[in-house]
Every structure is written in C-alpha cells, then in structure tokens.
C-alpha cells in the first residue's frame, strides 16, 4: 500500500497521471457524470425541502400563539381566497374540467366548514384544531392531491346515492377526451370496442379480442411516404449524386 502511494505521489513515476489517462478519463468519468448530476439535483432538492420545512415550522409556531378568532380567520382565508380566484378564472374559460374540479372542491369544503363551525365551540381551544383544518383544506384544494375529488367520490356520492350520475359523468369525460386525442376514424373504432366491452353479450366483448382488433386497426394505417433527396431509381439502383444533380 505504501509503494502504491509513493507511485501515485512522486512526479518521477507519474502514477496518478497514468491512472487518470488509462482509467479515470475513459471509463470512470463518463460513468460518474450522470450520477454526479443526479446527486447534485437530490442535494439541491433536499436543501430546498429542509429550508421550506424550517420556514413552515416557524410560521406554525407563530400561528399557534395567535388567538382562536384570528386562527379561524386564517383558516377560512386559506380555504376561500385562492379557490375563489381559480373558480372565477375557470368560469371565464371554455374548458369544463376546471369548472367541475372547483365545483367539487366547494361542495366538499362546504361540508368541512360546517364541521368546523359546529365543533369549534367544543374543540376550538384544543391546540392543533385549526392546524388540522388548514392541512385538510390544503389537501382538498391542491391538484397534486385531488383530495376534494376523492372525498366527493368516496363519501358524498355514496351518501347522496348518486353513483349512476357519477358513472355517466365519467363516461362523458372519457368520450370528450377520446374525441380530443384521437382522429375521428380511430375514435369511432375505439368507441365501438368500448360499446362491445360493456355489452358483454357476445364473445367479442372479451378484452383480449378487442385488443387484437385495435392492434389490427393500427396496422391498416398508411404512414406518409418521405421522398429522400437521393432515393432509389425505378430499376432499384440508387441514384448517385453527380455534378448535374439538382440539390434545390
């Protein structure tokens, strides 16, 4: 081990340079660069997450010392200000999906507000009550969680007995998305396959059979032919470029 250290260290042997030229530069460098980028991104993400968590912790400590009336105002403001702005923007657009999303949120948030309004006389003085309300509101509000849609489907729809209407709404949404993403011919084929699957009265409703039909339909699609500048001639021989070839 001592010999290897001296071989790497002394300028006369140039061991470190030999290892760099023969191993590090051609092999280790290209392999470790992507790993270094991933580690740098992870370190930056971890640093930002810890910084944000520390700031949120300070805000939470300040929030805990506020009077209950002010806590209630903050909780209601978090649940109403941003969703109101998003709802007004959604109404002004032509898309229906964002209208449905925020209408679902207001339905679920209305139930949460009623629970808070009824129980805060008994539970409002318990530390963490309004913090729980704020976290629940954020869970319902942010699209990354889609909490309002989950609570709407799992709780409100079963209580109201509206399963059929919810299934009909989902079917309409799928049809609109299908017509938006596919061309009319492929959309008609997919629509027929879905109808066969839900019919279930024939052997054609088997999912494997429907999948094979769709794959066969893809094979019939004619891709546009691309004419290369120097393609093959009619006889099969390639046209070699020469001084008389028109490049324009």
């Amino acid at each position: 081990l001592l010999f290897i250290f001296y071989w790497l260290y002394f300028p006369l042997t140039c061991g470190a340079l030999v290892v760099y030229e023969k191993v590090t530069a051609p092999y280790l460098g290209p392999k470790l660069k992507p790993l270094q980028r991933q580690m740098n991104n992870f370190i930056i993400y971890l640093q930002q997450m810890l910084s944000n968590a520390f700031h949120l912790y300070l805000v939470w400590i300040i929030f805990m010392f506020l009077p209950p009336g002010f806590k209630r105002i903050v909780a209601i403001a978090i649940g109403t200000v941003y969703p109101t702005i998003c709802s007004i923007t959604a109404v002004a657009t032509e898309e229906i999906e964002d209208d449905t999303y925020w209408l679902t949120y207001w339905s679920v948030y209305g139930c949460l507000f009623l629970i808070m309004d009824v129980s805060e006389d008994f539970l409002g003085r318990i530390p963490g009550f309004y913090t729980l309300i704020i976290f629940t509101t954020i869970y319902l509000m942010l699209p990354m969680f889609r909490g309002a849609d989950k609570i709407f489907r799992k709780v409100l729809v079963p209580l109201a007995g509206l399963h059929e209407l919810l299934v009909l709404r989902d079917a309409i949404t799928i049809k609109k998305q299908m017509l938006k993403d596919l061309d009319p011919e492929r959309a008609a084929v997919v629509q027929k396959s879905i109808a066969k699957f839900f019919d279930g009265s024939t052997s054609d409703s088997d999912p494997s059979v429907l999948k094979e039909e769709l794959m066969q339909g893809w094979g019939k699609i004619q891709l546009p032919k691309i004419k290369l500048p120097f393609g093959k001639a009619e006889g099969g021989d390639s046209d070699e470029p020469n001084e008389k070839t028109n490049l324009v």
Side-chain angles (χ1 to χ4, degrees):
L1 183 61
L2 183 62
F3 173 75
I4 296 176
F5 173 75
Y6 283 123
W7 178 70
L8 294 173
Y9 178 74
F10 281 107
L12 295 177
T13 56
C14 295
L17 181 61
V18 173
V19 173
Y20 173 77
E21 292 179 349
K22 300 298 183 180
V23 179
T24 305
Y27 299 106
L28 295 180
K31 298 291 184 181
L32 294 179
K33 281 184 179 179
L35 180 61
Q36 180 188 5
R37 296 192 194 99
Q38 294 179 1
M39 293 181 65
N40 290 337
N41 294 334
F42 176 75
I43 291 173
I44 294 173
Y45 172 77
L46 183 62
Q47 181 181 1
Q48 292 177 351
M49 184 178 64
L50 292 176
S51 178
N52 294 333
F54 178 73
H55 293 158
L56 290 176
Y57 180 71
L58 291 179
V59 173
W60 180 75
I61 291 177
I62 297 173
F63 178 78
M64 292 299 294
F65 286 97
L66 295 176
F70 194 80
K71 290 180 182 179
R72 187 177 191 274
I73 294 175
V74 173
I76 296 175
I78 291 176
T80 55
V81 175
Y82 175 73
T84 301
I85 297 174
C86 293
S87 300
I88 295 173
T89 305
V91 171
T93 58
E94 297 181 356
E95 298 180 358
I96 305 178
E97 288 76 11
D98 50 358
D99 300 351
T100 305
Y101 177 83
W102 289 112
L103 182 60
T104 304
Y105 167 78
W106 286 115
S107 301
V108 180
Y109 180 75
C111 297
L112 177 64
F113 181 80
L114 290 177
I115 295 173
M116 181 187 69
D117 193 42
V118 171
S119 61
E120 65 180 348
D121 293 336
F122 309 98
L123 304 176
R125 299 184 181 276
I126 298 177
F129 173 77
Y130 291 101
T131 303
L132 180 62
I133 296 295
I134 291 175
F135 283 149
T136 306
T137 303
I138 293 175
Y139 171 73
L140 298 176
M141 177 173 52
L142 294 183
M144 61 183 298
F145 300 119
R146 299 191 68 86
D149 187 70
K150 295 177 182 178
I151 300 298
F152 181 78
R153 291 176 177 272
K154 300 294 184 180
V155 180
L156 297 185
V157 170
L159 288 177
L162 299 176
H163 291 89
E164 293 82 2
L165 292 179
L166 182 62
V167 172
L168 180 61
R169 192 198 75 175
D170 292 340
I172 294 174
T173 303
I174 294 174
K175 182 178 180 180
K176 289 182 179 180
Q177 190 67 31
M178 180 180 62
L179 295 176
K180 180 180 178 181
D181 296 339
L182 301 177
D183 59 274
E185 182 178 356
R186 292 300 302 170
V189 174
V190 175
Q191 188 174 358
K192 290 180 181 179
S193 299
I194 294 175
K196 289 181 181 179
F197 177 74
F198 279 102
D199 184 19
S201 59
T202 61
S203 60
D204 294 338
S205 61
D206 186 28
S208 59
V209 177
L210 297 176
K211 183 178 180 181
E212 291 180 0
E213 291 181 358
L214 291 177
M215 296 304 295
Q216 291 176 0
W218 279 108
K220 298 179 181 179
I221 297 178
Q222 298 292 334
L223 298 177
K225 296 182 179 180
I226 301 176
K227 185 177 181 181
L228 300 176
F230 306 109
K232 290 185 178 181
E234 294 181 357
D237 298 332
S238 59
D239 296 334
E240 297 293 338
N242 49 46
E243 64 274 4
K244 297 182 181 180
T245 302
N246 187 10
L247 300 179
V248 181

